[in-house]
């Protein structure tokens, strides 16, 4: 598994890098022997107090896990984020096992090496101009839309730790969206079918 460690206004020493690589390789070998890549970013904590750590792990095609942690030192901040990633993987493996009726879990083939999403930054409006009804587009990314059932899409939403997920409903063949509502429940948007 490719592991990248970077620091945002924080120096990441050899000991910290070794700790990160050892822990993430251990998690990958325990759950997914063919994990793709992980990116670990260290930064200053809230109000420049302590450290923050963000982990984005591409486990397999279409499965992206995110975890973050805050602590007064870098090692405990990473350990908190890694524990969240490991908990998400445990939950995912348990759901797969329950879904498959207790059969051994088969993992998908990893995506191509160097899995990258496109990213474009657009010019912002002049600061002197008035705010219009049409806000500027900040970024555009390209992602694969998974083919899944509604329950699997909710699971992916939870594992990816995002607010919304667009997917192709395997039952109807139409594009649907699940999203996390303000009250913590999950909303589901399905297009109206033609009569």
């Amino acid at each position: 598994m490719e592991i990248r460690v970077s620091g945002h206004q924080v120096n990441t020493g050899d000991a910290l890098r070794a700790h990160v690589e050892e822990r993430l390789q251990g998690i990958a070998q325990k759950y997914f022997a063919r994990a793709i890549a992980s990116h670990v970013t260290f930064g200053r904590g809230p109000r420049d107090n302590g450290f923050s750590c963000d982990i984005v792990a591409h486990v397999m095609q279409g499965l992206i896990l995110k975890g973050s942690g805050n602590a007064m030192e870098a090692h405990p901040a990473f350990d908190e984020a890694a524990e969240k990633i490991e908990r998400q993987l445990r939950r995912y493996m348990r759901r797969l096992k329950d879904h498959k009726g207790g059969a051994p879990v088969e993992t998908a083939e990893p995506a191509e090496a160097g899995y990258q999403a496109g990213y474009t930054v657009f010019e912002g409006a002049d600061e002197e101009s008035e705010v219009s009804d049409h806000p500027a587009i900040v970024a555009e990314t390209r992602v694969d839309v998974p083919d899944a059932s509604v329950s699997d899409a909710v699971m992916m939403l939870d594992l990816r730790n995002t607010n919304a997920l667009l997917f192709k409903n395997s039952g109807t063949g139409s594009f649907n969206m699940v999203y996390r509502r303000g009250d913590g429940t999950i909303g589901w948007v399905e297009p109206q079918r033609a009569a």
Side-chain angles (χ1 to χ4, degrees), residues 5-8 10-17 40-42:
V5 180
S6 59
H8 181 65
V10 171
N11 185 13
T12 58
D14 293 336
L16 181 59
R17 288 177 186 271
V40 181
T41 306
F42 290 93

Side-chain angles (χ1 to χ4, degrees), residues 134-147:
H134 306 287
I137 298 172
V138 177
E140 169 188 280
T141 57
R142 291 189 175 102
V143 295
D144 291 326
V145 177
D147 189 12

Side-chain angles (χ1 to χ4, degrees), residues 1-3 20-38 55 57-60 65 78 82 85-87 89-90 93 107:
M1 174 171 67
E2 176 190 345
I3 299 172
V20 167
E21 289 182 9
E22 179 182 329
R23 177 83 189 268
L24 289 180
Q25 289 290 2
I27 291 171
Q29 289 174 358
K30 185 175 181 180
Y31 295 102
F32 284 98
R34 296 176 288 186
I36 301 169
S38 292
I55 301 173
H58 298 273
V59 179
M60 59 185 213
L65 305 175
F78 167 74
I85 294 289
E86 190 168 11
R87 191 177 322 122
L89 276 171
R90 254 194 322 267
M93 296 301 286
T107 57

Side-chain angles (χ1 to χ4, degrees), residues 19-184:
H19 177 67
V20 167
E21 289 182 9
E22 179 182 329
R23 177 83 189 268
L24 289 180
Q25 289 290 2
I27 291 171
Q29 289 174 358
K30 185 175 181 180
Y31 295 102
F32 284 98
R34 296 176 288 186
I36 301 169
S38 292
H39 188 192
V40 181
T41 306
F42 290 93
R44 290 284 173 203
R47 297 178 291 286
D48 289 336
N49 189 13
F51 292 88
S52 68
C53 176
D54 295 315
I55 301 173
V56 177
H58 298 273
V59 179
M60 59 185 213
Q61 179 77 23
L63 180 60
I64 301 169
L65 305 175
K66 297 178 184 178
S68 61
N70 293 307
M72 293 307 292
E73 294 186 17
H75 281 77
F78 167 74
D79 289 337
E80 181 182 333
E83 179 60 35
K84 290 179 182 177
I85 294 289
E86 190 168 11
R87 191 177 322 122
Q88 290 174 357
L89 276 171
R90 254 194 322 267
R91 192 177 324 143
Y92 177 72
M93 296 301 286
R94 191 177 327 115
R95 286 180 180 174
L96 277 180
K97 186 177 178 183
D98 291 345
H99 185 70
K100 302 242 184 229
V105 177
E106 298 176 17
T107 57
E109 289 295 319
E112 304 170 3
Y115 175 79
Q116 300 272 332
Y119 188 81
T120 307
V121 177
F122 297 92
E123 285 186 39
D126 295 336
E127 292 183 18
E128 296 176 3
S129 66
E130 294 182 25
V131 178
S132 68
D133 292 336
H134 306 287
I137 298 172
V138 177
E140 169 188 280
T141 57
R142 291 189 175 102
V143 295
D144 291 326
V145 177
D147 189 12
S149 67
V150 177
S151 61
D152 288 345
V154 171
M155 180 177 60
M156 283 187 249
L157 177 77
D158 185 37
L159 290 171
R160 291 181 182 185
N161 198 19
T162 60
N163 292 327
L165 175 72
L166 176 69
F167 67 101
K168 186 175 181 182
N169 191 327
S170 58
T172 63
S174 63
F175 289 99
N176 290 199
M177 179 183 289
V178 289
Y179 63 96
R180 193 169 313 281
R181 296 167 45 108
D183 61 359

